[in-house]
Amino acid sequence: MQRDELKALLAALVSGSTSIDDVVSRLQRLPLEDLGFARLDTHRELRQGMPEAVYAEHKTADQVVAIGRALLDRTTSAVIATRVPEETARRLLGEWPDARHDAEARLVVLRSAPDEAAPAGSVAVVSGGTSDRPVALEAALTAEAMGLKVERIDDVGVAGLHRVLAQEEVLRTSDVVIVVAGMEGALPSLVGGLTPAPVIAVPTSVGYGAAFGGLAALLGMLNSCAAGVVVTNIDNGFGAAMAALRQLNHTSRP
């Protein structure tokens, strides 16, 4: 349930167009729904402004479908499944042919935010190299599904400094910048020196042996010399997009 839905329900109660029993019936499932194998936090959207997402990895296809169906029934907002195996994606698309699936990002968007709503803000998603693309896509597609305006800037790693400098105007005018990079993880520091916007850094598991599966990039980003750069977990493009949404939702409150 969204804040506007709750306000409308209470207004209907005050006006007499609905009954107390109807309000109780609508609210009795508000905090959670127990599916037996999962307890859905159906109160999250009201508390945080964003519904629960489905982390599909290590869940069966049946479980993901059941969770998706329950979430679609409880919210009018975006419903997203992340880290979706191919078999599970096929099941989801069989149930909801209009869903959007990106195999590279391993993301399935069962429903996006309503198109009629104005974007809550703009996000630039910057990636260091083509190998970082799956994580950058996860961030960009998640942000788009949640109603944000997204500008993608791909393959502008620090080995070719002129590539990112050519994007300075976009970086300066975006509300939030998500920077996705592997190897030594230097790109967020460079971007952080070019833009006044909040910078969310995402280390990826891209790199040779001493990259240690993204640990080198993670440590490099945590030690950024650009003040105020914040860092997500390795390969967590979804988390970066949701952090941007939190930032923009909070600053846009009346």
Side-chain angles (χ1 to χ4, degrees), residues 61-97:
D62 286 341
Q63 288 172 338
V64 176
V65 167
I67 293 171
R69 184 177 293 114
L71 289 175
L72 287 168
D73 189 45
R74 302 292 176 266
T75 179
T76 58
S77 230
V79 176
I80 299 172
T82 68
R83 302 299 168 93
V84 183
E86 281 298 313
E87 179 187 349
T88 301
R90 286 193 292 270
R91 282 288 309 280
L92 291 172
L93 292 173
E95 293 283 337
W96 296 284

Short mmCIF file of all heavy atoms in Angstrom, two decimals, residues 61-97:
data_model
loop_
_atom_site.label_atom_id
_atom_site.label_comp_id
_atom_site.label_asym_id
_atom_site.label_seq_id
_atom_site.Cartn_x
_atom_site.Cartn_y
_atom_site.Cartn_z
N ALA A 61 11.87 -21.44 -9.05
CA ALA A 61 11.03 -20.64 -9.94
C ALA A 61 9.62 -20.51 -9.38
O ALA A 61 9.01 -19.43 -9.46
CB ALA A 61 10.99 -21.29 -11.33
N ASP A 62 9.10 -21.57 -8.77
CA ASP A 62 7.77 -21.52 -8.18
C ASP A 62 7.70 -20.48 -7.07
O ASP A 62 6.71 -19.74 -6.93
CB ASP A 62 7.37 -22.89 -7.62
CG ASP A 62 7.01 -23.89 -8.71
OD1 ASP A 62 6.73 -23.45 -9.84
OD2 ASP A 62 7.03 -25.10 -8.41
N GLN A 63 8.75 -20.42 -6.25
CA GLN A 63 8.77 -19.46 -5.16
C GLN A 63 8.79 -18.02 -5.68
O GLN A 63 8.08 -17.15 -5.18
CB GLN A 63 9.98 -19.72 -4.26
CG GLN A 63 9.86 -20.97 -3.42
CD GLN A 63 11.15 -21.31 -2.69
OE1 GLN A 63 12.24 -20.90 -3.09
NE2 GLN A 63 11.05 -22.09 -1.63
N VAL A 64 9.61 -17.78 -6.70
CA VAL A 64 9.70 -16.43 -7.25
C VAL A 64 8.38 -16.01 -7.88
O VAL A 64 7.93 -14.87 -7.71
CB VAL A 64 10.86 -16.34 -8.27
CG1 VAL A 64 10.89 -14.96 -8.93
CG2 VAL A 64 12.19 -16.63 -7.60
N VAL A 65 7.74 -16.92 -8.60
CA VAL A 65 6.44 -16.62 -9.20
C VAL A 65 5.41 -16.29 -8.12
O VAL A 65 4.64 -15.32 -8.25
CB VAL A 65 5.96 -17.79 -10.08
CG1 VAL A 65 4.49 -17.63 -10.46
CG2 VAL A 65 6.82 -17.90 -11.34
N ALA A 66 5.38 -17.08 -7.06
CA ALA A 66 4.41 -16.85 -5.99
C ALA A 66 4.65 -15.50 -5.30
O ALA A 66 3.71 -14.77 -5.00
CB ALA A 66 4.48 -17.98 -4.96
N ILE A 67 5.91 -15.18 -5.06
CA ILE A 67 6.23 -13.89 -4.43
C ILE A 67 5.85 -12.75 -5.36
O ILE A 67 5.26 -11.74 -4.95
CB ILE A 67 7.72 -13.84 -4.06
CG1 ILE A 67 8.04 -14.84 -2.96
CG2 ILE A 67 8.11 -12.42 -3.61
CD1 ILE A 67 9.53 -15.00 -2.70
N GLY A 68 6.18 -12.89 -6.64
CA GLY A 68 5.84 -11.86 -7.61
C GLY A 68 4.35 -11.61 -7.68
O GLY A 68 3.89 -10.47 -7.71
N ARG A 69 3.57 -12.69 -7.69
CA ARG A 69 2.11 -12.56 -7.76
C ARG A 69 1.57 -11.82 -6.53
O ARG A 69 0.70 -10.96 -6.65
CB ARG A 69 1.48 -13.95 -7.88
CG ARG A 69 -0.03 -13.90 -8.06
CD ARG A 69 -0.61 -15.29 -8.25
NE ARG A 69 -0.20 -15.89 -9.51
CZ ARG A 69 0.57 -16.95 -9.62
NH1 ARG A 69 1.03 -17.54 -8.52
NH2 ARG A 69 0.90 -17.42 -10.81
N ALA A 70 2.09 -12.18 -5.36
CA ALA A 70 1.62 -11.53 -4.13
C ALA A 70 1.98 -10.05 -4.10
O ALA A 70 1.17 -9.21 -3.70
CB ALA A 70 2.21 -12.25 -2.92
N LEU A 71 3.19 -9.72 -4.55
CA LEU A 71 3.59 -8.31 -4.55
C LEU A 71 2.78 -7.50 -5.55
O LEU A 71 2.38 -6.36 -5.27
CB LEU A 71 5.09 -8.20 -4.86
CG LEU A 71 6.05 -8.67 -3.77
CD1 LEU A 71 7.50 -8.63 -4.26
CD2 LEU A 71 5.90 -7.82 -2.51
N LEU A 72 2.53 -8.06 -6.72
CA LEU A 72 1.73 -7.36 -7.72
C LEU A 72 0.32 -7.10 -7.22
O LEU A 72 -0.31 -6.10 -7.59
CB LEU A 72 1.68 -8.17 -9.02
CG LEU A 72 2.97 -8.19 -9.85
CD1 LEU A 72 2.88 -9.24 -10.94
CD2 LEU A 72 3.24 -6.81 -10.46
N ASP A 73 -0.17 -7.97 -6.36
CA ASP A 73 -1.52 -7.83 -5.82
C ASP A 73 -1.58 -6.80 -4.70
O ASP A 73 -2.66 -6.29 -4.38
CB ASP A 73 -2.01 -9.19 -5.30
CG ASP A 73 -3.48 -9.17 -4.92
OD1 ASP A 73 -4.28 -8.61 -5.69
OD2 ASP A 73 -3.81 -9.68 -3.83
N ARG A 74 -0.41 -6.47 -4.12
CA ARG A 74 -0.40 -5.61 -2.93
C ARG A 74 0.09 -4.20 -3.20
O ARG A 74 0.05 -3.36 -2.32
CB ARG A 74 0.49 -6.23 -1.84
CG ARG A 74 0.08 -7.61 -1.38
CD ARG A 74 -1.25 -7.61 -0.64
NE ARG A 74 -1.63 -8.99 -0.32
CZ ARG A 74 -2.42 -9.72 -1.08
NH1 ARG A 74 -2.91 -9.22 -2.20
NH2 ARG A 74 -2.73 -10.96 -0.74
N THR A 75 0.59 -3.93 -4.41
CA THR A 75 1.13 -2.61 -4.68
C THR A 75 0.83 -2.20 -6.11
O THR A 75 0.64 -3.06 -6.99
CB THR A 75 2.66 -2.58 -4.46
OG1 THR A 75 3.15 -1.27 -4.75
CG2 THR A 75 3.38 -3.57 -5.36
N THR A 76 0.77 -0.91 -6.34
CA THR A 76 0.66 -0.40 -7.71
C THR A 76 2.00 0.12 -8.20
O THR A 76 2.11 0.67 -9.28
CB THR A 76 -0.37 0.75 -7.78
OG1 THR A 76 0.03 1.80 -6.88
CG2 THR A 76 -1.75 0.25 -7.39
N SER A 77 3.02 -0.06 -7.40
CA SER A 77 4.36 0.43 -7.72
C SER A 77 5.14 -0.62 -8.50
O SER A 77 4.62 -1.67 -8.85
CB SER A 77 5.11 0.74 -6.42
OG SER A 77 5.68 2.01 -6.48
N ALA A 78 6.42 -0.31 -8.75
CA ALA A 78 7.28 -1.23 -9.48
C ALA A 78 7.51 -2.51 -8.68
O ALA A 78 7.61 -2.48 -7.46
CB ALA A 78 8.61 -0.56 -9.77
N VAL A 79 7.58 -3.62 -9.40
CA VAL A 79 7.94 -4.91 -8.79
C VAL A 79 9.09 -5.49 -9.60
O VAL A 79 8.97 -5.67 -10.81
CB VAL A 79 6.74 -5.88 -8.78
CG1 VAL A 79 7.19 -7.24 -8.23
CG2 VAL A 79 5.60 -5.32 -7.94
N ILE A 80 10.20 -5.74 -8.92
CA ILE A 80 11.45 -6.12 -9.59
C ILE A 80 11.99 -7.41 -9.00
O ILE A 80 11.97 -7.60 -7.77
CB ILE A 80 12.51 -5.01 -9.41
CG1 ILE A 80 12.02 -3.70 -10.03
CG2 ILE A 80 13.85 -5.42 -10.00
CD1 ILE A 80 12.92 -2.51 -9.72
N ALA A 81 12.47 -8.29 -9.86
CA ALA A 81 13.20 -9.48 -9.42
C ALA A 81 14.64 -9.35 -9.89
O ALA A 81 14.89 -9.05 -11.07
CB ALA A 81 12.56 -10.74 -9.99
N THR A 82 15.59 -9.56 -8.99
CA THR A 82 17.01 -9.42 -9.31
C THR A 82 17.71 -10.77 -9.28
O THR A 82 17.22 -11.74 -8.69
CB THR A 82 17.71 -8.48 -8.31
OG1 THR A 82 17.76 -9.10 -7.01
CG2 THR A 82 16.96 -7.16 -8.18
N ARG A 83 18.88 -10.82 -9.93
CA ARG A 83 19.70 -12.04 -9.99
C ARG A 83 18.84 -13.24 -10.39
O ARG A 83 18.84 -14.28 -9.73
CB ARG A 83 20.42 -12.28 -8.67
CG ARG A 83 21.32 -11.12 -8.24
CD ARG A 83 22.41 -10.87 -9.28
NE ARG A 83 23.11 -9.64 -9.07
CZ ARG A 83 24.24 -9.52 -8.36
NH1 ARG A 83 24.76 -10.58 -7.79
NH2 ARG A 83 24.84 -8.36 -8.24
N VAL A 84 18.14 -13.07 -11.50
CA VAL A 84 17.17 -14.08 -11.93
C VAL A 84 17.83 -15.10 -12.84
O VAL A 84 18.32 -14.75 -13.92
CB VAL A 84 16.00 -13.40 -12.68
CG1 VAL A 84 14.95 -14.45 -13.04
CG2 VAL A 84 15.38 -12.30 -11.83
N PRO A 85 17.83 -16.40 -12.48
CA PRO A 85 18.34 -17.44 -13.38
C PRO A 85 17.46 -17.52 -14.63
O PRO A 85 16.29 -17.15 -14.62
CB PRO A 85 18.22 -18.71 -12.54
CG PRO A 85 18.14 -18.25 -11.11
CD PRO A 85 17.44 -16.93 -11.17
N GLU A 86 18.03 -18.02 -15.71
CA GLU A 86 17.31 -18.07 -16.98
C GLU A 86 16.02 -18.88 -16.89
O GLU A 86 14.99 -18.49 -17.44
CB GLU A 86 18.22 -18.64 -18.08
CG GLU A 86 19.22 -17.64 -18.63
CD GLU A 86 18.51 -16.47 -19.30
OE1 GLU A 86 17.57 -16.68 -20.09
OE2 GLU A 86 18.90 -15.32 -19.00
N GLU A 87 16.07 -20.01 -16.21
CA GLU A 87 14.86 -20.83 -16.09
C GLU A 87 13.75 -20.08 -15.38
O GLU A 87 12.58 -20.11 -15.79
CB GLU A 87 15.17 -22.13 -15.33
CG GLU A 87 13.95 -23.03 -15.15
CD GLU A 87 14.23 -24.23 -14.26
OE1 GLU A 87 15.40 -24.50 -13.96
OE2 GLU A 87 13.25 -24.89 -13.87
N THR A 88 14.12 -19.37 -14.32
CA THR A 88 13.13 -18.60 -13.57
C THR A 88 12.60 -17.44 -14.42
O THR A 88 11.40 -17.12 -14.39
CB THR A 88 13.75 -18.06 -12.28
OG1 THR A 88 14.21 -19.15 -11.48
CG2 THR A 88 12.74 -17.25 -11.47
N ALA A 89 13.48 -16.82 -15.20
CA ALA A 89 13.04 -15.73 -16.09
C ALA A 89 12.01 -16.23 -17.09
O ALA A 89 11.00 -15.55 -17.35
CB ALA A 89 14.25 -15.14 -16.81
N ARG A 90 12.23 -17.42 -17.63
CA ARG A 90 11.26 -17.98 -18.59
C ARG A 90 9.90 -18.21 -17.92
O ARG A 90 8.85 -17.95 -18.52
CB ARG A 90 11.80 -19.29 -19.17
CG ARG A 90 12.90 -19.09 -20.19
CD ARG A 90 13.18 -20.38 -20.96
NE ARG A 90 13.77 -21.40 -20.11
CZ ARG A 90 15.08 -21.55 -19.92
NH1 ARG A 90 15.93 -20.73 -20.52
NH2 ARG A 90 15.53 -22.51 -19.14
N ARG A 91 9.92 -18.67 -16.67
CA ARG A 91 8.67 -18.88 -15.94
C ARG A 91 7.96 -17.55 -15.70
O ARG A 91 6.73 -17.45 -15.85
CB ARG A 91 8.96 -19.55 -14.61
CG ARG A 91 9.23 -21.04 -14.70
CD ARG A 91 7.95 -21.84 -15.00
NE ARG A 91 6.87 -21.50 -14.09
CZ ARG A 91 6.76 -21.98 -12.85
NH1 ARG A 91 7.66 -22.85 -12.39
NH2 ARG A 91 5.75 -21.63 -12.08
N LEU A 92 8.70 -16.54 -15.32
CA LEU A 92 8.10 -15.23 -15.06
C LEU A 92 7.49 -14.64 -16.33
O LEU A 92 6.38 -14.10 -16.30
CB LEU A 92 9.15 -14.28 -14.49
CG LEU A 92 9.64 -14.58 -13.07
CD1 LEU A 92 10.81 -13.68 -12.71
CD2 LEU A 92 8.52 -14.41 -12.06
N LEU A 93 8.19 -14.77 -17.44
CA LEU A 93 7.67 -14.25 -18.70
C LEU A 93 6.47 -15.05 -19.18
O LEU A 93 5.59 -14.52 -19.87
CB LEU A 93 8.77 -14.24 -19.75
CG LEU A 93 9.91 -13.25 -19.51
CD1 LEU A 93 11.02 -13.45 -20.53
CD2 LEU A 93 9.40 -11.81 -19.56
N GLY A 94 6.44 -16.33 -18.83
CA GLY A 94 5.27 -17.13 -19.16
C GLY A 94 4.04 -16.68 -18.38
O GLY A 94 2.92 -16.68 -18.90
N GLU A 95 4.25 -16.28 -17.13
CA GLU A 95 3.15 -15.80 -16.30
C GLU A 95 2.75 -14.37 -16.67
O GLU A 95 1.57 -14.03 -16.67
CB GLU A 95 3.56 -15.84 -14.82
CG GLU A 95 3.77 -17.23 -14.25
CD GLU A 95 2.45 -17.93 -13.96
OE1 GLU A 95 1.43 -17.24 -13.77
OE2 GLU A 95 2.45 -19.17 -13.92
N TRP A 96 3.76 -13.54 -16.95
CA TRP A 96 3.51 -12.13 -17.25
C TRP A 96 4.26 -11.75 -18.53
O TRP A 96 5.39 -11.27 -18.50
CB TRP A 96 3.98 -11.25 -16.09
CG TRP A 96 3.22 -11.51 -14.82
CD1 TRP A 96 1.96 -11.09 -14.52
CD2 TRP A 96 3.67 -12.27 -13.69
NE1 TRP A 96 1.59 -11.53 -13.27
CE2 TRP A 96 2.61 -12.26 -12.74
CE3 TRP A 96 4.85 -12.95 -13.38
CZ2 TRP A 96 2.71 -12.90 -11.51
CZ3 TRP A 96 4.96 -13.59 -12.16
CH2 TRP A 96 3.89 -13.57 -11.24
N PRO A 97 3.64 -11.98 -19.70
CA PRO A 97 4.31 -11.74 -20.98
C PRO A 97 4.76 -10.30 -21.18
O PRO A 97 5.68 -10.05 -21.97
CB PRO A 97 3.23 -12.12 -22.01
CG PRO A 97 2.32 -13.05 -21.29
CD PRO A 97 2.30 -12.57 -19.86
#
